[in-house]
mmCIF file of all heavy atoms in Angstrom:
data_model
loop_
_atom_site.group_PDB
_atom_site.id
_atom_site.type_symbol
_atom_site.label_atom_id
_atom_site.label_comp_id
_atom_site.label_asym_id
_atom_site.label_seq_id
_atom_site.Cartn_x
_atom_site.Cartn_y
_atom_site.Cartn_z
ATOM 1 N N THR A 238 38.014 142.062 107.102
ATOM 2 C CA THR A 238 36.850 141.253 107.449
ATOM 3 C C THR A 238 35.846 141.128 106.308
ATOM 4 O O THR A 238 34.685 140.794 106.543
ATOM 5 C CB THR A 238 36.142 141.811 108.697
ATOM 6 O OG1 THR A 238 35.782 143.172 108.464
ATOM 7 C CG2 THR A 238 37.024 141.691 109.920
ATOM 8 N N ALA A 239 36.281 141.348 105.095
ATOM 9 C CA ALA A 239 35.423 141.106 103.939
ATOM 10 C C ALA A 239 35.570 139.638 103.528
ATOM 11 O O ALA A 239 36.593 139.009 103.809
ATOM 12 C CB ALA A 239 35.825 142.024 102.782
ATOM 13 N N PRO A 240 34.580 139.079 102.864
ATOM 14 C CA PRO A 240 34.670 137.675 102.462
ATOM 15 C C PRO A 240 35.911 137.370 101.614
ATOM 16 O O PRO A 240 36.441 136.265 101.678
ATOM 17 C CB PRO A 240 33.391 137.430 101.659
ATOM 18 C CG PRO A 240 32.501 138.580 101.895
ATOM 19 C CD PRO A 240 33.323 139.696 102.454
ATOM 20 N N GLU A 241 36.387 138.358 100.865
ATOM 21 C CA GLU A 241 37.569 138.170 100.024
ATOM 22 C C GLU A 241 38.855 138.123 100.845
ATOM 23 O O GLU A 241 39.875 137.634 100.366
ATOM 24 C CB GLU A 241 37.702 139.315 98.992
ATOM 25 C CG GLU A 241 36.526 139.501 98.074
ATOM 26 C CD GLU A 241 35.375 140.310 98.696
ATOM 27 O OE1 GLU A 241 35.582 141.022 99.699
ATOM 28 O OE2 GLU A 241 34.258 140.206 98.173
ATOM 29 N N ASN A 242 38.828 138.645 102.069
ATOM 30 C CA ASN A 242 40.026 138.774 102.898
ATOM 31 C C ASN A 242 40.128 137.779 104.038
ATOM 32 O O ASN A 242 41.201 137.651 104.625
ATOM 33 C CB ASN A 242 40.097 140.176 103.525
ATOM 34 C CG ASN A 242 39.967 141.286 102.524
ATOM 35 O OD1 ASN A 242 39.074 142.098 102.651
ATOM 36 N ND2 ASN A 242 40.828 141.322 101.535
ATOM 37 N N CYS A 243 39.057 137.119 104.385
ATOM 38 C CA CYS A 243 39.033 136.342 105.621
ATOM 39 C C CYS A 243 38.260 135.041 105.425
ATOM 40 O O CYS A 243 37.198 135.039 104.806
ATOM 41 C CB CYS A 243 38.383 137.191 106.720
ATOM 42 S SG CYS A 243 38.275 136.372 108.323
ATOM 43 N N GLY A 244 38.794 133.966 105.987
ATOM 44 C CA GLY A 244 38.176 132.656 105.852
ATOM 45 C C GLY A 244 36.887 132.478 106.639
ATOM 46 O O GLY A 244 36.125 131.554 106.381
ATOM 47 N N HIS A 245 36.634 133.328 107.595
ATOM 48 C CA HIS A 245 35.376 133.279 108.363
ATOM 49 C C HIS A 245 35.049 134.718 108.764
ATOM 50 O O HIS A 245 35.083 135.087 109.939
ATOM 51 C CB HIS A 245 35.529 132.376 109.577
ATOM 52 C CG HIS A 245 34.238 131.883 110.154
ATOM 53 N ND1 HIS A 245 32.996 132.431 109.890
ATOM 54 C CD2 HIS A 245 34.002 130.864 111.014
ATOM 55 C CE1 HIS A 245 32.064 131.788 110.553
ATOM 56 N NE2 HIS A 245 32.651 130.826 111.242
ATOM 57 N N TYR A 246 34.744 135.529 107.757
ATOM 58 C CA TYR A 246 34.604 136.972 107.937
ATOM 59 C C TYR A 246 33.475 137.398 108.869
ATOM 60 O O TYR A 246 33.490 138.504 109.397
ATOM 61 C CB TYR A 246 34.472 137.666 106.578
ATOM 62 C CG TYR A 246 33.114 137.531 105.931
ATOM 63 C CD1 TYR A 246 32.193 138.569 105.998
ATOM 64 C CD2 TYR A 246 32.746 136.369 105.254
ATOM 65 C CE1 TYR A 246 30.947 138.461 105.403
ATOM 66 C CE2 TYR A 246 31.517 136.246 104.663
ATOM 67 C CZ TYR A 246 30.619 137.288 104.741
ATOM 68 O OH TYR A 246 29.392 137.179 104.162
ATOM 69 N N LEU A 247 32.511 136.536 109.108
ATOM 70 C CA LEU A 247 31.413 136.891 110.001
ATOM 71 C C LEU A 247 31.728 136.612 111.469
ATOM 72 O O LEU A 247 31.005 137.066 112.356
ATOM 73 C CB LEU A 247 30.142 136.128 109.606
ATOM 74 C CG LEU A 247 29.551 136.495 108.245
ATOM 75 C CD1 LEU A 247 28.365 135.598 107.927
ATOM 76 C CD2 LEU A 247 29.139 137.961 108.204
ATOM 77 N N MET A 248 32.808 135.867 111.732
ATOM 78 C CA MET A 248 33.142 135.489 113.107
ATOM 79 C C MET A 248 34.122 136.496 113.719
ATOM 80 O O MET A 248 35.313 136.242 113.856
ATOM 81 C CB MET A 248 33.745 134.079 113.145
ATOM 82 C CG MET A 248 33.941 133.573 114.560
ATOM 83 S SD MET A 248 34.763 131.976 114.631
ATOM 84 C CE MET A 248 36.402 132.397 114.086
ATOM 85 N N HIS A 249 33.619 137.652 114.063
ATOM 86 C CA HIS A 249 34.423 138.695 114.704
ATOM 87 C C HIS A 249 33.590 139.344 115.800
ATOM 88 O O HIS A 249 32.357 139.393 115.708
ATOM 89 C CB HIS A 249 34.863 139.760 113.692
ATOM 90 C CG HIS A 249 35.953 139.288 112.806
ATOM 91 N ND1 HIS A 249 37.269 139.282 113.190
ATOM 92 C CD2 HIS A 249 35.931 138.777 111.560
ATOM 93 C CE1 HIS A 249 38.016 138.799 112.210
ATOM 94 N NE2 HIS A 249 37.220 138.479 111.209
ATOM 95 N N ASN A 250 34.289 139.854 116.820
ATOM 96 C CA ASN A 250 33.601 140.552 117.896
ATOM 97 C C ASN A 250 34.539 141.651 118.396
ATOM 98 O O ASN A 250 35.367 141.421 119.275
ATOM 99 C CB ASN A 250 33.234 139.589 119.022
ATOM 100 C CG ASN A 250 32.358 140.244 120.072
ATOM 101 O OD1 ASN A 250 32.426 141.447 120.297
ATOM 102 N ND2 ASN A 250 31.549 139.436 120.743
ATOM 103 N N LEU A 251 34.412 142.836 117.804
ATOM 104 C CA LEU A 251 35.282 143.956 118.146
ATOM 105 C C LEU A 251 35.091 144.395 119.596
ATOM 106 O O LEU A 251 36.078 144.664 120.291
ATOM 107 C CB LEU A 251 35.049 145.137 117.195
ATOM 108 C CG LEU A 251 35.862 146.399 117.471
ATOM 109 C CD1 LEU A 251 37.363 146.123 117.440
ATOM 110 C CD2 LEU A 251 35.487 147.494 116.472
ATOM 111 N N ALA A 252 33.872 144.435 120.069
ATOM 112 C CA ALA A 252 33.628 144.891 121.447
ATOM 113 C C ALA A 252 34.333 143.985 122.454
ATOM 114 O O ALA A 252 34.995 144.471 123.386
ATOM 115 C CB ALA A 252 32.128 144.953 121.727
ATOM 116 N N MET A 253 34.229 142.693 122.273
ATOM 117 C CA MET A 253 34.898 141.770 123.195
ATOM 118 C C MET A 253 36.414 141.806 123.005
ATOM 119 O O MET A 253 37.173 141.680 123.972
ATOM 120 C CB MET A 253 34.375 140.344 123.019
ATOM 121 C CG MET A 253 33.011 140.121 123.635
ATOM 122 S SD MET A 253 32.911 140.508 125.411
ATOM 123 C CE MET A 253 34.094 139.398 126.118
ATOM 124 N N ALA A 254 36.883 141.984 121.778
ATOM 125 C CA ALA A 254 38.319 142.109 121.536
ATOM 126 C C ALA A 254 38.875 143.304 122.298
ATOM 127 O O ALA A 254 39.948 143.219 122.914
ATOM 128 C CB ALA A 254 38.601 142.244 120.038
ATOM 129 N N LYS A 255 38.143 144.399 122.291
ATOM 130 C CA LYS A 255 38.559 145.587 123.041
ATOM 131 C C LYS A 255 38.635 145.290 124.539
ATOM 132 O O LYS A 255 39.557 145.721 125.220
ATOM 133 C CB LYS A 255 37.585 146.751 122.786
ATOM 134 C CG LYS A 255 37.721 147.361 121.417
ATOM 135 C CD LYS A 255 36.762 148.525 121.267
ATOM 136 C CE LYS A 255 36.993 149.229 119.960
ATOM 137 N NZ LYS A 255 36.469 150.583 119.961
ATOM 138 N N TRP A 256 37.652 144.555 125.028
ATOM 139 C CA TRP A 256 37.631 144.217 126.455
ATOM 140 C C TRP A 256 38.839 143.368 126.831
ATOM 141 O O TRP A 256 39.538 143.669 127.798
ATOM 142 C CB TRP A 256 36.322 143.497 126.791
ATOM 143 C CG TRP A 256 36.181 143.242 128.251
ATOM 144 C CD1 TRP A 256 35.672 144.090 129.184
ATOM 145 C CD2 TRP A 256 36.593 142.071 128.958
ATOM 146 N NE1 TRP A 256 35.731 143.498 130.434
ATOM 147 C CE2 TRP A 256 36.292 142.262 130.324
ATOM 148 C CE3 TRP A 256 37.183 140.868 128.563
ATOM 149 C CZ2 TRP A 256 36.558 141.302 131.297
ATOM 150 C CZ3 TRP A 256 37.451 139.911 129.534
ATOM 151 C CH2 TRP A 256 37.145 140.132 130.879
ATOM 152 N N TYR A 257 39.099 142.306 126.069
ATOM 153 C CA TYR A 257 40.248 141.436 126.353
ATOM 154 C C TYR A 257 41.563 142.200 126.223
ATOM 155 O O TYR A 257 42.477 142.017 127.028
ATOM 156 C CB TYR A 257 40.270 140.227 125.417
ATOM 157 C CG TYR A 257 39.266 139.165 125.750
ATOM 158 C CD1 TYR A 257 38.187 138.922 124.898
ATOM 159 C CD2 TYR A 257 39.386 138.375 126.890
ATOM 160 C CE1 TYR A 257 37.265 137.926 125.179
ATOM 161 C CE2 TYR A 257 38.464 137.379 127.177
ATOM 162 C CZ TYR A 257 37.411 137.159 126.324
ATOM 163 O OH TYR A 257 36.502 136.169 126.611
ATOM 164 N N ALA A 258 41.673 143.041 125.208
ATOM 165 C CA ALA A 258 42.912 143.802 124.998
ATOM 166 C C ALA A 258 43.154 144.769 126.156
ATOM 167 O O ALA A 258 44.282 144.881 126.652
ATOM 168 C CB ALA A 258 42.848 144.562 123.671
ATOM 169 N N ALA A 259 42.115 145.455 126.596
ATOM 170 C CA ALA A 259 42.256 146.392 127.715
ATOM 171 C C ALA A 259 42.627 145.652 128.992
ATOM 172 O O ALA A 259 43.486 146.112 129.764
ATOM 173 C CB ALA A 259 40.956 147.186 127.910
ATOM 174 N N GLU A 260 41.999 144.504 129.218
ATOM 175 C CA GLU A 260 42.301 143.701 130.408
ATOM 176 C C GLU A 260 43.775 143.270 130.400
ATOM 177 O O GLU A 260 44.473 143.393 131.412
ATOM 178 C CB GLU A 260 41.393 142.469 130.444
ATOM 179 C CG GLU A 260 41.693 141.538 131.611
ATOM 180 C CD GLU A 260 40.945 140.225 131.523
ATOM 181 O OE1 GLU A 260 41.011 139.532 130.476
ATOM 182 O OE2 GLU A 260 40.297 139.874 132.538
ATOM 183 N N PHE A 261 44.256 142.789 129.260
ATOM 184 C CA PHE A 261 45.637 142.314 129.186
ATOM 185 C C PHE A 261 46.634 143.469 129.279
ATOM 186 O O PHE A 261 47.648 143.368 129.969
ATOM 187 C CB PHE A 261 45.865 141.503 127.907
ATOM 188 C CG PHE A 261 47.203 140.822 127.854
ATOM 189 C CD1 PHE A 261 47.581 139.905 128.823
ATOM 190 C CD2 PHE A 261 48.088 141.099 126.830
ATOM 191 C CE1 PHE A 261 48.821 139.266 128.766
ATOM 192 C CE2 PHE A 261 49.326 140.476 126.763
ATOM 193 C CZ PHE A 261 49.695 139.557 127.738
ATOM 194 N N ALA A 262 46.351 144.583 128.618
ATOM 195 C CA ALA A 262 47.244 145.741 128.688
ATOM 196 C C ALA A 262 47.352 146.253 130.126
ATOM 197 O O ALA A 262 48.457 146.552 130.600
ATOM 198 C CB ALA A 262 46.753 146.851 127.753
ATOM 199 N N ALA A 263 46.232 146.335 130.821
ATOM 200 C CA ALA A 263 46.255 146.779 132.227
ATOM 201 C C ALA A 263 47.069 145.798 133.070
ATOM 202 O O ALA A 263 47.833 146.211 133.954
ATOM 203 C CB ALA A 263 44.832 146.911 132.764
ATOM 204 N N TYR A 264 46.917 144.515 132.819
ATOM 205 C CA TYR A 264 47.689 143.489 133.540
ATOM 206 C C TYR A 264 49.186 143.663 133.281
ATOM 207 O O TYR A 264 49.994 143.615 134.214
ATOM 208 C CB TYR A 264 47.221 142.099 133.105
ATOM 209 C CG TYR A 264 48.055 140.985 133.671
ATOM 210 C CD1 TYR A 264 47.786 140.450 134.931
ATOM 211 C CD2 TYR A 264 49.130 140.464 132.954
ATOM 212 C CE1 TYR A 264 48.564 139.427 135.454
ATOM 213 C CE2 TYR A 264 49.907 139.444 133.475
ATOM 214 C CZ TYR A 264 49.622 138.935 134.718
ATOM 215 O OH TYR A 264 50.405 137.929 135.237
ATOM 216 N N LEU A 265 49.557 143.854 132.018
ATOM 217 C CA LEU A 265 50.977 144.050 131.696
ATOM 218 C C LEU A 265 51.530 145.276 132.417
ATOM 219 O O LEU A 265 52.626 145.225 132.986
ATOM 220 C CB LEU A 265 51.176 144.201 130.186
ATOM 221 C CG LEU A 265 51.016 142.956 129.329
ATOM 222 C CD1 LEU A 265 51.172 143.312 127.852
ATOM 223 C CD2 LEU A 265 52.008 141.867 129.731
ATOM 224 N N GLU A 266 50.789 146.362 132.404
ATOM 225 C CA GLU A 266 51.246 147.585 133.072
ATOM 226 C C GLU A 266 51.392 147.376 134.579
ATOM 227 O O GLU A 266 52.370 147.820 135.178
ATOM 228 C CB GLU A 266 50.282 148.736 132.777
ATOM 229 C CG GLU A 266 50.378 149.207 131.339
ATOM 230 C CD GLU A 266 49.331 150.241 130.975
ATOM 231 O OE1 GLU A 266 48.226 150.243 131.568
ATOM 232 O OE2 GLU A 266 49.619 151.031 130.075
ATOM 233 N N ALA A 267 50.443 146.705 135.181
ATOM 234 C CA ALA A 267 50.481 146.486 136.630
ATOM 235 C C ALA A 267 51.598 145.531 137.048
ATOM 236 O O ALA A 267 52.041 145.564 138.191
ATOM 237 C CB ALA A 267 49.134 145.946 137.106
ATOM 238 N N ASN A 268 52.056 144.695 136.128
ATOM 239 C CA ASN A 268 53.042 143.664 136.453
ATOM 240 C C ASN A 268 54.377 143.849 135.750
ATOM 241 O O ASN A 268 55.182 142.916 135.706
ATOM 242 C CB ASN A 268 52.471 142.284 136.118
ATOM 243 C CG ASN A 268 51.410 141.878 137.090
ATOM 244 O OD1 ASN A 268 51.712 141.408 138.175
ATOM 245 N ND2 ASN A 268 50.156 142.084 136.717
ATOM 246 N N GLU A 269 54.629 145.027 135.228
ATOM 247 C CA GLU A 269 55.860 145.268 134.453
ATOM 248 C C GLU A 269 57.128 144.882 135.213
ATOM 249 O O GLU A 269 58.092 144.403 134.628
ATOM 250 C CB GLU A 269 55.928 146.734 134.035
ATOM 251 C CG GLU A 269 57.127 147.053 133.178
ATOM 252 C CD GLU A 269 57.162 148.491 132.720
ATOM 253 O OE1 GLU A 269 56.287 149.289 133.121
ATOM 254 O OE2 GLU A 269 58.091 148.829 131.955
ATOM 255 N N GLN A 270 57.135 145.043 136.518
ATOM 256 C CA GLN A 270 58.327 144.726 137.321
ATOM 257 C C GLN A 270 58.320 143.296 137.862
ATOM 258 O O GLN A 270 59.256 142.887 138.561
ATOM 259 C CB GLN A 270 58.457 145.717 138.481
ATOM 260 C CG GLN A 270 58.575 147.162 138.040
ATOM 261 C CD GLN A 270 59.710 147.390 137.038
ATOM 262 O OE1 GLN A 270 60.819 146.885 137.217
ATOM 263 N NE2 GLN A 270 59.427 148.132 135.984
ATOM 264 N N ASN A 271 57.317 142.535 137.534
ATOM 265 C CA ASN A 271 57.175 141.164 138.025
ATOM 266 C C ASN A 271 57.873 140.198 137.065
ATOM 267 O O ASN A 271 57.405 139.973 135.956
ATOM 268 C CB ASN A 271 55.684 140.827 138.148
ATOM 269 C CG ASN A 271 55.430 139.439 138.663
ATOM 270 O OD1 ASN A 271 56.341 138.649 138.875
ATOM 271 N ND2 ASN A 271 54.152 139.126 138.857
ATOM 272 N N ASP A 272 58.965 139.614 137.497
ATOM 273 C CA ASP A 272 59.732 138.696 136.644
ATOM 274 C C ASP A 272 58.911 137.497 136.177
ATOM 275 O O ASP A 272 59.209 136.923 135.127
ATOM 276 C CB ASP A 272 60.979 138.197 137.382
ATOM 277 C CG ASP A 272 62.016 139.297 137.565
ATOM 278 O OD1 ASP A 272 61.983 140.295 136.812
ATOM 279 O OD2 ASP A 272 62.859 139.152 138.474
ATOM 280 N N ALA A 273 57.887 137.116 136.922
ATOM 281 C CA ALA A 273 57.086 135.938 136.567
ATOM 282 C C ALA A 273 56.354 136.101 135.244
ATOM 283 O O ALA A 273 56.009 135.107 134.605
ATOM 284 C CB ALA A 273 56.088 135.622 137.681
ATOM 285 N N ILE A 274 56.117 137.339 134.798
ATOM 286 C CA ILE A 274 55.423 137.511 133.517
ATOM 287 C C ILE A 274 56.395 137.454 132.333
ATOM 288 O O ILE A 274 55.969 137.581 131.190
ATOM 289 C CB ILE A 274 54.570 138.794 133.458
ATOM 290 C CG1 ILE A 274 55.417 140.055 133.298
ATOM 291 C CG2 ILE A 274 53.636 138.891 134.650
ATOM 292 C CD1 ILE A 274 54.623 141.264 132.821
ATOM 293 N N PHE A 275 57.673 137.225 132.604
ATOM 294 C CA PHE A 275 58.676 137.149 131.548
ATOM 295 C C PHE A 275 59.459 135.829 131.537
ATOM 296 O O PHE A 275 60.316 135.638 130.684
ATOM 297 C CB PHE A 275 59.678 138.304 131.679
ATOM 298 C CG PHE A 275 59.053 139.657 131.527
ATOM 299 C CD1 PHE A 275 58.923 140.497 132.618
ATOM 300 C CD2 PHE A 275 58.579 140.105 130.304
ATOM 301 C CE1 PHE A 275 58.349 141.766 132.496
ATOM 302 C CE2 PHE A 275 57.995 141.362 130.166
ATOM 303 C CZ PHE A 275 57.888 142.197 131.262
ATOM 304 N N ALA A 276 59.204 134.926 132.483
ATOM 305 C CA ALA A 276 59.974 133.680 132.568
ATOM 306 C C ALA A 276 59.034 132.508 132.813
ATOM 307 O O ALA A 276 58.271 132.502 133.785
ATOM 308 C CB ALA A 276 61.002 133.764 133.687
ATOM 309 N N TYR A 277 59.086 131.532 131.922
ATOM 310 C CA TYR A 277 58.267 130.333 132.039
ATOM 311 C C TYR A 277 58.566 129.544 133.309
ATOM 312 O O TYR A 277 59.729 129.344 133.642
ATOM 313 C CB TYR A 277 58.605 129.373 130.918
ATOM 314 C CG TYR A 277 57.817 129.462 129.647
ATOM 315 C CD1 TYR A 277 58.428 129.122 128.440
ATOM 316 C CD2 TYR A 277 56.474 129.811 129.615
ATOM 317 C CE1 TYR A 277 57.736 129.140 127.246
ATOM 318 C CE2 TYR A 277 55.777 129.842 128.419
ATOM 319 C CZ TYR A 277 56.413 129.503 127.238
ATOM 320 O OH TYR A 277 55.719 129.520 126.068
ATOM 321 N N PRO A 278 57.539 129.003 133.944
ATOM 322 C CA PRO A 278 57.785 127.934 134.916
ATOM 323 C C PRO A 278 58.002 126.654 134.102
ATOM 324 O O PRO A 278 57.206 126.334 133.227
ATOM 325 C CB PRO A 278 56.485 127.866 135.716
ATOM 326 C CG PRO A 278 55.451 128.416 134.802
ATOM 327 C CD PRO A 278 56.143 129.396 133.887
ATOM 328 N N ARG A 279 59.076 125.966 134.293
ATOM 329 C CA ARG A 279 59.422 124.781 133.494
ATOM 330 C C ARG A 279 59.040 123.493 134.214
ATOM 331 O O ARG A 279 59.062 123.420 135.428
ATOM 332 C CB ARG A 279 60.927 124.754 133.195
ATOM 333 C CG ARG A 279 61.371 125.865 132.284
ATOM 334 C CD ARG A 279 61.019 125.520 130.881
ATOM 335 N NE ARG A 279 61.440 126.602 130.006
ATOM 336 C CZ ARG A 279 61.112 126.647 128.735
ATOM 337 N NH1 ARG A 279 60.392 125.713 128.207
ATOM 338 N NH2 ARG A 279 61.504 127.639 127.989
ATOM 339 N N THR A 280 58.736 122.494 133.430
ATOM 340 C CA THR A 280 58.482 121.158 133.943
ATOM 341 C C THR A 280 59.485 120.220 133.303
ATOM 342 O O THR A 280 59.675 120.241 132.094
ATOM 343 C CB THR A 280 57.052 120.701 133.587
ATOM 344 O OG1 THR A 280 56.144 121.586 134.199
ATOM 345 C CG2 THR A 280 56.792 119.293 134.052
ATOM 346 N N GLU A 281 60.135 119.421 134.113
ATOM 347 C CA GLU A 281 61.055 118.404 133.619
ATOM 348 C C GLU A 281 60.351 117.064 133.681
ATOM 349 O O GLU A 281 59.615 116.778 134.616
ATOM 350 C CB GLU A 281 62.325 118.361 134.484
ATOM 351 C CG GLU A 281 63.122 119.648 134.439
ATOM 352 C CD GLU A 281 63.715 119.950 133.074
ATOM 353 O OE1 GLU A 281 64.099 119.004 132.361
ATOM 354 O OE2 GLU A 281 63.779 121.135 132.722
ATOM 355 N N ARG A 282 60.593 116.247 132.719
ATOM 356 C CA ARG A 282 60.024 114.908 132.709
ATOM 357 C C ARG A 282 61.090 113.944 133.207
ATOM 358 O O ARG A 282 62.087 113.711 132.535
ATOM 359 C CB ARG A 282 59.600 114.551 131.297
ATOM 360 C CG ARG A 282 58.480 113.561 131.241
ATOM 361 C CD ARG A 282 58.035 113.352 129.827
ATOM 362 N NE ARG A 282 56.608 113.530 129.777
ATOM 363 C CZ ARG A 282 55.860 113.150 128.772
ATOM 364 N NH1 ARG A 282 56.391 112.621 127.713
ATOM 365 N NH2 ARG A 282 54.576 113.330 128.804
ATOM 366 N N LEU A 283 60.887 113.427 134.373
ATOM 367 C CA LEU A 283 61.822 112.477 134.950
ATOM 368 C C LEU A 283 61.369 111.067 134.597
ATOM 369 O O LEU A 283 60.182 110.749 134.678
ATOM 370 C CB LEU A 283 61.875 112.641 136.465
ATOM 371 C CG LEU A 283 62.242 114.053 136.968
ATOM 372 C CD1 LEU A 283 62.160 114.093 138.487
ATOM 373 C CD2 LEU A 283 63.625 114.432 136.497
ATOM 374 N N VAL A 284 62.306 110.210 134.209
ATOM 375 C CA VAL A 284 61.999 108.844 133.828
ATOM 376 C C VAL A 284 62.802 107.910 134.719
ATOM 377 O O VAL A 284 64.026 108.032 134.822
ATOM 378 C CB VAL A 284 62.332 108.597 132.338
ATOM 379 C CG1 VAL A 284 61.973 107.164 131.943
ATOM 380 C CG2 VAL A 284 61.602 109.597 131.450
#
């Protein structure tokens, strides 16, 4: 996150990143056996 390393080094939010990461990790753990989190619902385009 130094100016030499990043194109927008001031645009970071570690606290919120932690919140989103914890939320997603808890979701993954709670749904590990749920096939829906591993398989896309597909849409076909009919013409």
Side-chain angles (χ1 to χ4, degrees):
T238 57
E241 302 82 18
N242 307 122
C243 180
H245 200 343
Y246 76 100
L247 294 176
M248 187 184 69
H249 285 279
N250 188 331
L251 178 58
M253 284 303 300
K255 287 182 174 200
W256 185 86
Y257 284 112
E260 177 189 53
F261 188 59
Y264 174 86
L265 288 177
E266 289 174 331
N268 288 279
E269 183 178 4
Q270 301 306 315
N271 181 356
D272 290 339
I274 75 163
F275 298 109
Y277 269 149
R279 293 282 180 189
T280 298
E281 297 294 326
R282 207 175 232 195
L283 303 176
V284 181

